[in-house]
Amino acid sequence: MHSRILVYLDSCPASLRGLDEAVRLAVLEGAALRLMHVVDASRLRLGDGVIAVRDADLIPCMEEAAIQMLQQARERAAATGIATQTLLLTVQAARTADVIIEQAWAWNADLIVAGTHGGSRGLGPALRDGSPIPVLLVHAARAEEAGVAPADACVSAIA
């Protein structure tokens, strides 16, 4: 049974499938949710490690978009009566998976949930391989992501 579920969200449709699965589990188990997003400012670095001025101006825009996304997700989860918090971090020179794991550990989460495209590279495998906390990866079907037709998500649990 889970009492604290950390949910990583980004702007992809798979992320919403992860949120929906986390909400479903939280309702069943009476768990609290922490919805999290990481703004990775290191992706804006030039070859020499300097952030270009025009790119540095993107960080507040990225943060504002993330705040809106987290708020909408919080409202979606809270509508079911679940205790829900949000967390936004802006980092440089850190792997997003490491930041998620660190925050889950600090919050004493029982489970990390993230939506994924199911590829062999990226966030899902990094969480799976690096987390001492169980991870639930929710794979969204490509047709659904394209808005073609609803399909069942393929859910994989990694302990």
Side-chain angles (χ1 to χ4, degrees), residues 35 51 135:
L35 311 178
I51 296 177
V135 174

Side-chain angles (χ1 to χ4, degrees), residues 115-121 125 138-140 142:
T116 180
H117 298 286
S120 61
R121 297 164 63 181
V138 180
H139 305 274
R142 293 195 188 280

Side-chain angles (χ1 to χ4, degrees), residues 65-80:
I67 289 167
Q68 291 176 10
M69 175 191 60
L70 287 170
Q71 181 62 26
Q72 290 172 353
R74 191 191 75 67
E75 290 170 3
R76 186 174 181 159
T80 64

Side-chain angles (χ1 to χ4, degrees), residues 3 16-17 23-24 36 54 59-60 70 73-74 76-78 81 89 94 99 101 103 113 118-119 141-143 146:
S3 62
L16 288 178
R17 293 300 301 260
V23 167
R24 188 187 70 75
M36 176 183 181
R54 71 174 192 275
I59 294 171
L70 287 170
R74 191 191 75 67
R76 186 174 181 159
L89 296 174
V99 175
I101 293 165
Q103 290 302 311
V113 177
R142 293 195 188 280

Side-chain angles (χ1 to χ4, degrees), residues 5-75:
I5 302 171
L6 184 122
V7 183
Y8 179 74
L9 297 167
D10 59 22
S11 60
C12 75
S15 183
L16 288 178
R17 293 300 301 260
L19 173 64
D20 290 344
E21 185 63 20
V23 167
R24 188 187 70 75
L25 285 172
V27 167
L28 286 173
E29 299 181 357
L33 294 179
R34 179 171 280 181
L35 311 178
M36 176 183 181
H37 179 75
V38 176
V39 173
D40 183 0
S42 67
R43 292 183 179 214
L44 301 176
R45 290 179 180 266
L46 300 175
D48 59 2
V50 175
I51 296 177
V53 173
R54 71 174 192 275
D55 289 341
D57 293 340
L58 291 176
I59 294 171
C61 293
M62 293 167 67
E63 291 169 336
E64 182 58 36
I67 289 167
Q68 291 176 10
M69 175 191 60
L70 287 170
Q71 181 62 26
Q72 290 172 353
R74 191 191 75 67
E75 290 170 3

